[in-house]
Amino acid sequence: MIAGTSCEGAPRLEILADAGALARRAATLVINHTPARADSIYVFPTGKTPLGLYRELVATHRRVGFGFGGVRFFALDEYAGIARDDPRRLGRWLWQVLLEPMGVPRAHVVGFDPGAPDPDLACARVDARIAARGGIDLLVLGLGENGHLGFNEPGTRFDAPSRLVELTPETRATNAAYWDDRVDVPATAYTLGPRTLLAARRVLLLVSGKRKAAILDRTLNGPIDLAVPATMLRLHPGLTVLADTDATPPPPEPRALGQNDS
Ligand code: GLP
């Protein structure tokens, strides 16, 4: 069900009945976007929101053989200061839930090295590799409860490059839930920066659940502001927001007609 329509300068907002419908719609958009011989760059998030999408994609791969062809997958973000084989690695997570079951060759996956000796250089190389292949073709994002994108936390400049960042306490707390609060969430992480993210050709923002309703409202209707990094997406002409009804801001209260309205 499409509840919003696209218009110049406004993101296309599609409101889906529930998380299952959101996952199916997202899968349809990803599949339709992927030509058989694609060799472009995709960036997909970790987190809970996209898991339904990944289940749909894997099921479609198994049912009808849909695949990503030559698509290169670059990591959106990664914890820093952990070993390459650490079970907390976000790259390992995406590999397990999506890339390996989809038959993506390991050589087509580019991650951040969590122990890079020179983080600035490592990040500059990632940005340069993406730019050299023409930028990100399809960027799928989740929405942090504090408005972060990837690990671009509140206060991030909209022209920031990919880089090593400090995670906020709230992000560390929400990330701990991924591991049933059994592990320490690292204090620092790598993230693709807005400069690279905003240059993507197509952006899909997935938002699900009541816990996201307030931040989605600020993202769509609040001022475009560094305090809410996700508002930067409103500067992107190719943004589609898929949200379920739980995450969708209620419609504005009808205004009483006043003296100045005539
Ligand atoms: C995490 C990740 C993001 C993710 C977001 C939302 O901290 N760094 O890439 O999209 O927060 O996660 P979730 O879908 O679990 O709410």
Side-chain angles (χ1 to χ4, degrees), residues 65-90:
F66 165 73
F68 285 113
V71 167
R72 296 327 196 248
F73 284 86
F74 278 66
L76 173 62
D77 48 23
E78 182 59 270
Y79 299 129
I82 57 176
R84 285 190 183 142
D85 61 354
D86 190 295
R88 293 169 293 180
R89 277 199 75 174
L90 297 176

Side-chain angles (χ1 to χ4, degrees), residues 109-159:
V109 183
V110 182
F112 288 103
D113 175 359
D118 184 339
D120 289 346
L121 182 64
C123 290
R125 282 192 176 139
V126 169
D127 280 343
R129 285 182 73 177
I130 292 174
R133 293 185 73 94
I136 299 167
D137 182 51
L138 176 62
L139 170 63
V140 181
L141 292 168
L143 178 62
E145 281 177 45
N146 64 359
H148 73 214
L149 297 174
F151 280 133
N152 292 290
E153 297 278 35
T156 301
R157 289 171 52 108
F158 292 175
D159 61 353

Side-chain angles (χ1 to χ4, degrees), residues 5-216:
T5 52
S6 64
C7 65
E8 193 139 333
R12 182 184 175 84
L13 170 64
E14 298 188 25
I15 301 171
L16 290 307
D18 53 30
L22 187 152
R24 289 190 293 279
R25 178 64 180 150
T28 298
L29 292 177
V30 169
I31 291 165
N32 288 347
H33 184 85
T34 307
R37 300 168 73 84
D39 64 351
S40 48
I41 293 180
Y42 285 13
V43 172
F44 284 10
T46 52
K48 293 186 178 172
T49 310
L51 290 178
L53 161 65
Y54 299 160
R55 278 194 291 272
E56 291 290 330
L57 291 173
V58 171
T60 308
H61 171 69
R62 292 185 176 144
R63 203 171 57 242
V64 297
F66 165 73
F68 285 113
V71 167
R72 296 327 196 248
F73 284 86
F74 278 66
L76 173 62
D77 48 23
E78 182 59 270
Y79 299 129
I82 57 176
R84 285 190 183 142
D85 61 354
D86 190 295
R88 293 169 293 180
R89 277 199 75 174
L90 297 176
R92 173 176 154 143
W93 175 349
L94 194 65
W95 176 255
Q96 289 176 342
V97 300
L98 179 69
L99 303 178
E100 198 274 335
M102 290 291 300
V104 174
R106 268 196 192 276
H108 289 185
V109 183
V110 182
F112 288 103
D113 175 359
D118 184 339
D120 289 346
L121 182 64
C123 290
R125 282 192 176 139
V126 169
D127 280 343
R129 285 182 73 177
I130 292 174
R133 293 185 73 94
I136 299 167
D137 182 51
L138 176 62
L139 170 63
V140 181
L141 292 168
L143 178 62
E145 281 177 45
N146 64 359
H148 73 214
L149 297 174
F151 280 133
N152 292 290
E153 297 278 35
T156 301
R157 289 171 52 108
F158 292 175
D159 61 353
S162 301
R163 67 212 183 285
L164 183 66
V165 298
E166 273 191 35
L167 298 179
T168 60
E170 56 268 30
T171 292
R172 293 179 73 196
T174 51
N175 276 216
Y178 298 153
W179 318 99
D180 298 325
D181 295 308
R182 280 179 286 115
V183 303
D184 278 340
V185 173
T188 55
Y190 292 94
T191 185
L192 293 183
R195 194 188 297 169
T196 292
L197 298 180
L198 289 175
R201 263 183 293 284
R202 184 82 199 272
V203 183
L204 206 52
L205 178 67
L206 308 182
V207 192
S208 174
K210 288 191 194 313
R211 290 163 64 102
K212 300 290 176 69
I215 194 64
L216 179 60

